[in-house]
Amino acid sequence: MNDLTGDSAPRRRWRAAVVTGTAAALAACTVLLLPGTSNAATTLGASAAERGRYFGVAIAGGRLSDTQYTTIANREFNMVTAENEMKLDATEPNQNQFSFSSGDRIVNWAISNGKQVRGHTLAWHSQQPGWMQNMSGTALRNAMLNHVTRVATYYRGKIHSWDVVNEAFADGSSGARRDSNLQRTGNDWIEAAFRAARAADPGAKLCYNDYNTDNWSHAKTQAVYRMVQDFKQRGVPIDCVGFQAHFNSGNPVPNNYHTTLQNFADLGVDVQITELDIEGSGSSQAEQYRGIVQACLAVTRCNGITVWGVRDSDSWRASGTPLLFNGSGQKKAAYDAVLAALNSGQPGPGPSGSPSSSPTGQPGGSCTATYSEGQKWNDRFNGQVTVTGSDNWIVTVTVSPPQRMIATWNVSATWDSSGNVMTGRPNGNGNAFGFTVQHGGNWNWPALACRTA
Ligand code: 9MR
């Protein structure tokens, strides 16, 4: 096992890769390890991953048949939120009759493309099914807890972070809870929802998610802060706070955004930007996006950023052109600013310095997979694979437990039933791809094998 702690001198680790699979399956296959390159990442997900973060997008199930949409989404993002399909009205249209097909479609698309999933949302005053809107008191409290338990249990093991409770605070200067049928069941409804979610899916991070909580001096921000502080002090299971970050001229990006993220993080929770969009255009919009990315990168516990849609035309407020791609699927100035901000951010924290790699393997044959190490962190590392000799490759990447591959980029990925073997094929984004491995203390390099299709 590599010792990645200790002196800070640059280090190069030499390790032969293990070629897996049967001889027949691996005919014309070689593995070669060569020194890594330091080229800047060319997609949002890849760049964020190099910084120990994700870059996500809200996906609308109805658009998954749009090839331009899925091509951009697959290429650029490594985290997915269902825009509407996992909400209460979608998942429990009749009491105790659960419907997961729309949510599953998005979750399966995400997983089959090597992406992780944010769950949105388990308890919310809005988009409640009709039967729930008409409920109150103990019956509603129990129905809400049953919903949290059933949905979080169904998706257990597939969700990176759940928006357990969404938008429970009032706008304006009151700092009060939002009045709703859920609030009227008693002030403890939020913590009850978090406890139920923890019991149902102990592996997911549990988030409180809201909007208009970006400006540190606003009463709503302060009120959410006090709730999270109280939850942490009393041991209510909360792991993260989601900042929706829907900005426009009436709700501009505040100058103190970094302060807000940092102050919440200092409570001992992760912070995530969960629904980012910024109305506008051109350099003005681009600079606001840049500021948001820089603020997140400046906060160690800011895990990732999700934009609320792919193209402007996919947005819930399309006329404000608030996203990173225009209606034709072209990158906007805002995209370039986000990628540049990501690429100029600090690499993720970790015990090792610059990437290193080593040559070995057996050159020759029709297809060569070259591995190089990427960034390393306490809990995970990135790997990069470059394929030469064929544009029609199939590369398997095998991790050894307790390692688990948690993200991929620039590759169409599927997994075997053990979850240890990722089979990657070209996704239209060239012949190099990357992945993140949660190592669980096992620093061994994954084994690579390359064959042609
Ligand atoms: O983008 C979503 C839109 O398609 C729905 O019609 C709307 C219904 O409430 O919800 C939108 O998403 C919201 C998210 O779930 C919570 N934060 C605000 C988002 C924008 O309204």
Side-chain angles (χ1 to χ4, degrees), residues 165-181:
V165 170
N166 197 37
E167 303 177 357
F169 279 80
D171 294 316
S173 59
S174 71
R177 293 282 183 88
R178 174 193 297 277
D179 180 47
S180 71
N181 60 350

Side-chain angles (χ1 to χ4, degrees), residues 248-396:
N248 55 28
S249 55
N251 178 39
V253 176
N255 291 332
N256 57 21
Y257 196 58
H258 167 254
T259 300
T260 303
L261 297 181
Q262 187 65 61
N263 284 345
F264 274 87
D266 288 345
L267 290 175
V269 289
D270 292 342
V271 294
Q272 302 174 357
I273 298 169
T274 53
E275 304 180 15
L276 178 61
D277 51 19
I278 307 175
E279 289 193 60
S281 61
S283 59
S284 158
Q285 181 183 50
E287 289 315 306
Q288 292 175 76
Y289 265 105
R290 188 193 308 277
I292 294 288
V293 173
Q294 288 174 337
C296 179
L297 291 174
V299 177
T300 306
R301 293 197 74 150
C302 184
N303 302 144
I305 300 173
T306 294
V307 287
W308 205 240
V310 179
R311 301 162 301 196
D312 285 335
S313 50
D314 303 315
S315 170
W316 66 295
R317 47 185 203 188
S319 63
T321 62
L323 295 173
L324 302 178
F325 295 86
N326 69 18
S328 305
Q330 291 161 331
K331 296 171 180 174
K332 296 166 58 180
Y335 173 94
D336 296 335
V338 167
L339 183 60
L342 288 169
N343 277 335
S344 55
Q346 294 288 323
S352 174
S354 57
S356 61
S357 61
S358 317
T360 184
Q362 307 135 13
S366 66
C367 161
T368 301
T370 304
Y371 182 79
S372 60
E373 291 184 331
Q375 290 298 318
K376 305 180 188 75
W377 297 272
N378 290 329
D379 61 340
R380 63 199 185 284
F381 60 81
N382 285 350
Q384 284 142 30
V385 175
T386 305
V387 183
T388 54
S390 171
D391 293 333
N392 213 7
W393 42 267
I394 302 173
V395 173
T396 57

